[in-house]
Amino acid sequence: PPRSTLFPYTTLFRSQPSEFPWDFMRRGVSGFIQLLIFGALLGLLILLGYGLSDRSELLTIMWPASGLLLVALWSSPTRSWIWILITQLSVQMAIYLAYAGRLNWQWGIVFAAANSVDAIVGAVVARRLIAAPSMRQIQQVLQLIAAIALGAAASAVLGAYASIHTSVGTFFFR
């Protein structure tokens, strides 16, 4: 009989290849460094998003960081999501506090949570619709677009709520 049948616990400790493209938790120190690089890239994209804001309303019209967060969640195992989301929330809150200052700082967590919801819903729907993130068929691309749209719709509820309370010129929303 095979060795794994005689000693079933030996398979628990064996390093098995991950089915996910980004399984940083199995990579030790290099995985931690990858998570730090992810946080730095996310921070740059958040800053870019603030640069793409409408100056009259102080509303962000595009949020490139949400795409990176979605792909990070989709391409990593669910057990890693907590670390990715902690990184996202920490980076986004730090930048929001520097960006917003004392004015409406408390709404930063709502905006950060809305971005988390966007990526979580998108990644969950993408995983249910698309077997593997290889994008070999046009149907998979369309399914990814549907997942992104559902995630954006879910996060828009939180984002709109926070925008009503924080943006200077949004009295018509109230």
Side-chain angles (χ1 to χ4, degrees):
R3 181 180 167 97
S4 62
T5 307
L6 295 173
F7 303 102
Y9 298 108
T10 58
T11 58
L12 293 175
F13 302 108
R14 193 177 318 152
S15 177
Q16 299 172 351
S18 176
E19 61 190 61
F20 295 98
W22 192 42
D23 192 359
F24 65 89
M25 290 181 67
R26 290 186 179 250
R27 295 186 179 149
V29 174
S30 70
F32 178 72
I33 292 170
Q34 288 176 0
L35 190 61
L36 289 176
I37 292 170
F38 165 76
L41 289 173
L42 191 70
L44 289 173
L45 290 174
I46 289 169
L47 291 172
L48 177 63
Y50 282 129
L52 296 172
S53 65
D54 178 16
R55 300 291 176 219
S56 65
E57 294 284 333
L58 299 174
L59 294 174
T60 303
I61 56 174
M62 206 173 182
W63 199 252
S66 64
L68 178 63
L69 186 58
L70 169 69
V71 170
L73 293 178
W74 186 31
S75 62
S76 63
T78 309
R79 64 180 157 69
S80 302
W81 286 17
I82 187 70
W83 299 108
I84 294 169
L85 293 170
I86 286 171
T87 302
Q88 175 254 336
L89 291 170
S90 301
V91 169
Q92 189 165 349
M93 279 305 299
I95 293 173
Y96 184 83
L97 290 174
Y99 179 77
R102 294 180 186 206
L103 178 67
N104 298 317
W105 64 268
Q106 68 275 18
W107 290 100
I109 193 68
V110 179
F111 287 120
N115 292 326
S116 297
V117 167
D118 181 1
I120 291 168
V121 170
V124 167
V125 171
R127 282 193 180 174
R128 299 293 273 163
L129 295 178
I130 305 168
S134 62
M135 294 296 154
R136 294 184 184 164
Q137 300 174 358
I138 192 69
Q139 178 184 359
Q140 291 176 320
V141 174
L142 295 174
Q143 289 170 334
L144 179 62
I145 291 170
I148 292 169
L150 288 172
S155 74
V157 173
L158 287 174
Y161 179 76
S163 292
I164 288 170
H165 297 317
T166 61
S167 296
V168 178
T170 55
F171 294 110
F172 63 92
F173 281 138
R174 297 180 188 161

